[in-house]
């Protein structure tokens, strides 16, 4: 074999390997299409807002559900429509007040420093009780479970909360079956998560329940999020002295 022929064969082989590598890379890419086609009507998800809400409590879970635009409509609900300031400062806009909020399939209640004030706000708490009682699925993030506990709706129900705010949150509902070591807890129509970032894991867990685990993985991959799938994996309980 001549040197030119050998060089040509090497170039052809290299080109073939490069094409195969590109083909494999393309095949490995996450599809922009969900793994399961939509079926049935869209679900309406309402996120409750109040002055002093925690940013990640709200926008972590909503980013996950926001990937399901063909299945879920998201609305923001507060005492009244308009701007609501977070605990960190930035505001977001409530689409509806409690009085004119649409019928929901899912309601989410975040935590944040504002929970300490709102838990003593009788009008706000009546609104939380009404909207949670009327909604088929109720999710709380962080100290949002303290607000829900105060309504009495989750007496006898398993729930968890932010481990650094455990004493405050659990004091809002002595009859709640509080679970100190849990990333998130599901009991009937209620699902509650631990502190702040755990709400995103819980949201994916709820997506898995509603649409299947393949869908939850697809959402996690699309958002480049490393999902903690184990609801019982909670190192923060031990860090805060809540385990024996």
């Amino acid at each position: 074999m001549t040197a030119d022929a050998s060089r040509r064969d090497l170039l052809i082989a290299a080109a073939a390997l490069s094409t195969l590598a590109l083909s494999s890379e393309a095949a490995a890419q996450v599809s922009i299409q969900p793994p399961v086609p939509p079926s049935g009507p869209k679900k309406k998800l309402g996120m409750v807002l109040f002055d002093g809400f925690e940013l990640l409590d709200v926008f972590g879970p909503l980013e996950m559900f926001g990937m399901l635009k063909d299945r879920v409509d998201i609305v923001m609900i507060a005492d009244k429509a308009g701007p609501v300031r977070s605990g960190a400062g930035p505001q977001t806009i409530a689409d509806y007040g409690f009085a004119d909020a649409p019928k929901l399939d899912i309601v989410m209640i975040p935590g944040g420093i504002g929970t300490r004030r709102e838990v003593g706000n009788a009008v706000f708490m009546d609104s939380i009780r009404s909207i949670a009682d009327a909604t088929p699925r109720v999710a709380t993030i962080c100290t949002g479970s303290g607000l829900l506990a105060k309504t009495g709706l989750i007496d006898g129900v398993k729930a968890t909360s932010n481990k650094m705010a455990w004493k405050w949150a659990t004091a809002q509902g002595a009859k709640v079956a509080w679970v100190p070591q849990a990333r998130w807890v599901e009991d009937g129509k209620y699902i509650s998560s631990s502190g702040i970032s755990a709400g995103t894991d819980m949201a994916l867990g709820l997506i898995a329940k509603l649409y299947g685990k393949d869908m939850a993985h697809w959402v996690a991959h699309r958002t480049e999020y490393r999902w903690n799938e184990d609801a019982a994996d909670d190192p923060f309980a031990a860090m805060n002295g809540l385990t024996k």
Side-chain angles (χ1 to χ4, degrees):
M1 180 181 292
T2 66
D4 286 345
S6 177
R7 184 166 178 269
R8 184 190 65 227
D9 290 345
L10 286 172
L11 288 171
I12 291 171
L17 287 172
S18 178
T19 300
L20 180 62
L22 288 171
S23 176
S24 298
E25 182 180 346
Q29 288 179 345
V30 177
S31 171
I32 62 171
Q33 298 299 324
V36 180
S39 62
K42 281 188 173 184
K43 295 186 184 300
K44 184 79 74 175
L45 188 163
M47 177 65 79
V48 171
L49 300 174
F50 47 83
D51 284 340
F53 71 86
E54 185 69 36
L55 283 172
L56 190 59
D57 285 4
V58 169
F59 294 107
L62 292 190
E63 180 64 31
M64 301 300 110
F65 274 93
M67 299 302 294
L68 306 177
K69 297 179 182 68
D70 56 350
R71 295 151 219 263
V72 179
D73 282 327
I74 297 171
V75 297
M76 302 294 212
I77 302 168
D79 276 332
K80 60 182 180 179
V84 183
R85 186 174 296 279
S86 69
Q91 298 181 14
T92 194
I93 302 297
D95 303 293
Y96 298 96
F98 285 116
D100 61 350
K103 184 177 180 180
L104 303 174
D105 299 290
I106 305 166
V107 64
M108 291 188 168
I109 304 168
I113 193 64
T115 57
R116 276 64 167 181
R117 178 192 63 255
E118 297 298 348
V119 79
N121 179 344
V123 174
F124 178 85
M125 292 305 300
D126 283 346
S127 298
I128 289 291
R129 183 182 295 104
S130 294
I131 201 168
D133 194 35
T135 304
R137 292 194 183 276
V138 181
T140 64
I141 305 99
C142 192
T143 53
S145 57
L147 291 176
L148 189 61
K150 191 73 171 181
T151 69
L153 289 176
I154 56 172
D155 285 355
V157 174
K158 293 178 183 176
T160 196
S161 194
N162 186 315
K163 303 314 180 301
M164 293 186 70
W166 188 253
K167 185 176 180 180
W168 178 87
T170 57
Q172 307 313 310
K175 296 180 180 179
V176 176
W178 294 106
V179 182
Q181 186 167 3
R183 187 72 171 160
W184 75 88
V185 171
E186 182 180 354
D187 191 351
K189 78 171 195 174
Y190 299 102
I191 182 168
S192 56
S193 74
S194 186
I196 310 180
S197 66
T200 305
D201 290 327
M202 177 199 72
L204 286 166
L206 184 52
I207 288 170
K209 184 174 184 65
L210 295 173
Y211 302 104
K213 208 161 194 179
D214 286 347
M215 185 69 83
H217 282 295
W218 177 81
V219 170
H221 293 159
R222 287 275 286 156
T223 55
E224 295 191 5
Y225 182 75
R226 188 170 290 177
W227 179 27
N228 180 354
E229 297 182 48
D230 184 356
D233 183 7
D234 178 20
F236 302 100
M239 290 180 192
N240 289 281
L242 298 176
T243 58
K244 294 180 180 180

